[in-house]
Amino acid sequence: MESIRSPSQLATRIGEARHAGQRIGFVPTMGFLHEGHMSLLRLAKSRCDLLVMSLFVNPTQFKPGEDLATYPRDEAGDFSKAESCGVDIVFTPSEEAMYPPGFQTQISLPKLFAPLCGVSRPSHFSGVATIVTKLFHLVAPDVAVFGQKDAQQLAIIRQLVRDLNMKIEIIGAPIVREEDGLAMSSRNVNLGPDARKQARCLSRGLFGAKERFESGVVQSATLIAAARAVIAASPLAKIDYIEIRDAQTLEELTVIDRPALMATAVRFGQTRLIDNVVLTPLVE
Ligand code: AMP
């Protein structure tokens, strides 16, 4: 496995791979890898000749007061996990290399940025869309894999690639969960023991709603109320939102008559967790 820190060195290496006719796969990450990231890497590896993983804690997607300083990091551990999943190149640029003095371009998808996590994190998705666009230009992948865990991010990336005519196949990979149902996240290590126990309420609430949907309940308000009751029963949980929206456009849905995203964000102290399920009506 090669480790590359400089963007220009990466571009040269990618040029060589392209020249040799290799199909390039890409998985962007912020590191502190867990089984969720590793499932993306294995999936990407099965779809390419040269697998590139970026490891960059992108400062522009954190707002002041968020957990940039305490975001967990373990570069040595990440390198060995990446290698075990068949990563060929790990790209770990410095902040200065990605955002040199005078940097000013912003990518904006106003309709997809606004709802859900965009309400409490208004600049977050601009940071995400801009860094992903930069990374897409540097890596020039044929295929890139993102987790369904960050469903709003995935909807944004799909739209960005369509809008800007990028020739990149975007694959959404299923959410990998702990045994009790908690969606794996690098931030889970920051949960205290009580919060960690209670954090299973997110998936319990969402799965319960999904079961009710599958038994015929299609009113969003009913399903949201059911999930809210389960999550709110955990004393440490502070609900940021629970919503049901069109899975692609993220427009609000009062009745689930097309594929829908039921998503939630919940705070446990300083740690904010997100989770979601997709509700897909059966076609008659
Ligand atoms: P992050 O390092 O948090 O930026 O995540 C990098 C990629 O891993 C994103 O595409 C995430 O959606 C994905 N990811 C994070 N957690 C999970 C999970 N539990 N299951 C599947 N994919 C995940």
Side-chain angles (χ1 to χ4, degrees), residues 27-40 54 56 61 71 145-151 153-154 171 173-178 182-188:
V27 178
T29 81
M30 298 206 300
F32 210 70
L33 301 187
H34 50 65
E35 264 306 315
H37 297 109
M38 291 167 82
S39 72
L40 269 50
S54 60
F56 180 60
Q61 66 192 68
Y71 197 84
V145 182
F146 290 82
Q148 175 64 26
K149 159 93 188 324
D150 296 275
Q153 169 175 288
L154 179 55
I171 299 179
I175 301 176
V176 177
R177 298 178 178 281
E178 302 287 356
L182 175 65
M184 288 192 184
S185 163
S186 306
R187 291 188 167 98
N188 290 351

Side-chain angles (χ1 to χ4, degrees), residues 62-80:
F62 293 78
K63 67 179 180 194
E66 279 187 344
D67 58 350
L68 175 62
T70 56
Y71 197 84
R73 294 165 205 245
D74 174 19
E75 196 175 283
D78 288 345
F79 274 51
S80 71

Side-chain angles (χ1 to χ4, degrees), residues 123-145:
S123 56
H124 172 68
F125 289 115
S126 165
V128 171
T130 304
I131 191 68
V132 170
T133 303
K134 280 174 72 74
L135 291 167
F136 278 175
H137 280 296
L138 283 167
V139 179
D142 298 281
V143 57
V145 182

Side-chain angles (χ1 to χ4, degrees), residues 103-124:
F103 184 91
Q104 59 177 291
T105 299
Q106 300 278 318
I107 301 285
S108 174
L109 291 77
K111 286 189 188 153
L112 290 178
F113 284 3
L116 303 172
C117 289
V119 174
S120 64
R121 307 185 78 194
S123 56
H124 172 68

Side-chain angles (χ1 to χ4, degrees), residues 83-96:
E83 186 154 34
S84 78
C85 294
V87 171
D88 297 293
I89 298 176
V90 188
F91 178 50
T92 51
S94 68
E95 223 174 288
E96 299 71 43

